[in-house]
Amino acid sequence: SNSEKRDLLKKLGEFLDKLHNLDSSFVQNLSKVDCHEKYSFIFENVKQELSQMLSNSQMKYATELFETYVGKKEYAVPNESILHGDISLEHVYYVDGHISIIDWSDLHISDPAREFYHLFRSLSEEERKICMNAYRATDPFFLKRANVYPLLDTFEVLLIFVKKNQEERIKEFLIRVDQDMIDWKLQS
């Protein structure tokens, strides 16, 4: 029901707030994803591998997107946290007013805003607000980063398909780049 989904989203926001505020110093074997380093590397590959494939407007968008994210200090991640790494409604069970979260195989340390970008793609604006109202993000650029990560990751996936020479998937992701350009313009 609608009220159950609202309760699930509220509890999920509360849970993620607690998870992201755990002391990560006690977990020494978790992998760490440095987002700035990752996206700087991806952008260099975009310039080298995709500049001939992308249209002028797509390349202009890629440059603006990556330079905005990678080049501006306000987008720097203020603190890294323990992340589930693959949070989505498919991994959250709601029974008798309680949530359980499964599939912890992608557990790692990174920017907590990355936790939300998969989730946000499957939620309406109202549902996002319910979840985020229960999550106490104090970083003023948190939501901006959460919304930019999927746009950046489109290029990462496109690079993978180019390396594997998967023409149909390349075409699909070039279309996604165009769709993402629209989303970026709406966010800017």
Side-chain angles (χ1 to χ4, degrees):
S1 78
N2 203 13
S3 65
E4 286 179 334
K5 187 168 187 183
R6 292 174 67 85
D7 190 47
L8 176 150
L9 293 168
K10 178 181 177 282
K11 288 183 172 151
L12 180 57
E14 291 168 349
F15 170 81
L16 292 172
D17 183 63
K18 289 176 186 172
L19 176 65
H20 296 163
N21 284 294
L22 286 176
D23 178 7
S24 62
S25 66
F26 74 91
V27 285
Q28 299 172 0
N29 294 330
L30 281 183
S31 64
K32 182 177 177 184
V33 176
D34 180 320
C35 293
H36 187 270
E37 184 178 297
K38 173 184 176 171
Y39 293 114
S40 295
F41 178 77
I42 291 171
F43 184 46
E44 287 307 312
N45 282 294
V46 165
K47 291 188 287 189
Q48 292 173 10
E49 316 263 335
L50 301 180
S51 62
Q52 300 300 312
M53 180 180 296
L54 298 175
S55 69
N56 287 341
S57 62
Q58 288 172 324
M59 195 62 206
K60 181 181 176 191
Y61 155 67
T63 302
E64 183 181 309
L65 177 68
F66 281 92
E67 286 180 353
T68 297
Y69 173 76
V70 175
K72 291 191 176 180
K73 289 184 180 181
E74 60 262 24
Y75 286 110
V77 179
N79 64 322
E80 294 178 323
S81 305
I82 298 172
L83 307 187
H84 175 275
D86 191 17
I87 203 72
S88 66
L89 294 182
E90 291 81 29
H91 294 148
V92 181
Y93 289 96
Y94 182 83
V95 178
D96 296 329
H98 299 283
I99 63 168
S100 297
I101 298 176
I102 62 167
D103 187 4
W104 289 84
S105 60
D106 295 316
L107 189 69
H108 66 281
I109 296 174
S110 191
D111 178 4
R114 284 187 56 79
E115 193 85 88
F116 289 91
Y117 84 85
H118 285 296
L119 185 63
F120 280 2
R121 284 210 160 174
S122 66
L123 298 178
S124 69
E125 188 64 34
E126 180 186 339
E127 291 169 334
R128 289 178 191 181
K129 287 179 183 176
I130 293 167
C131 188
M132 291 309 299
N133 284 340
Y135 185 88
R136 297 179 304 229
T138 56
D139 165 14
F141 294 96
F142 184 91
L143 286 175
K144 184 72 168 175
R145 288 195 318 278
N147 288 314
V148 166
Y149 284 132
L151 306 178
L152 296 167
D153 285 353
T154 296
F155 288 99
E156 179 181 27
V157 176
L158 178 57
L159 285 164
I160 291 167
F161 292 138
V162 167
K163 285 185 172 127
K164 292 182 175 185
N165 203 22
Q166 295 182 352
E167 290 298 322
E168 288 303 311
R169 299 301 306 236
I170 292 169
K171 289 177 188 174
E172 176 188 333
F173 271 78
L174 287 172
I175 291 168
R176 186 174 290 178
V177 168
D178 287 333
Q179 294 165 339
D180 287 354
M181 276 194 314
I182 294 167
D183 289 345
W184 173 250
K185 287 176 184 172
L186 292 174
Q187 289 180 35
S188 298

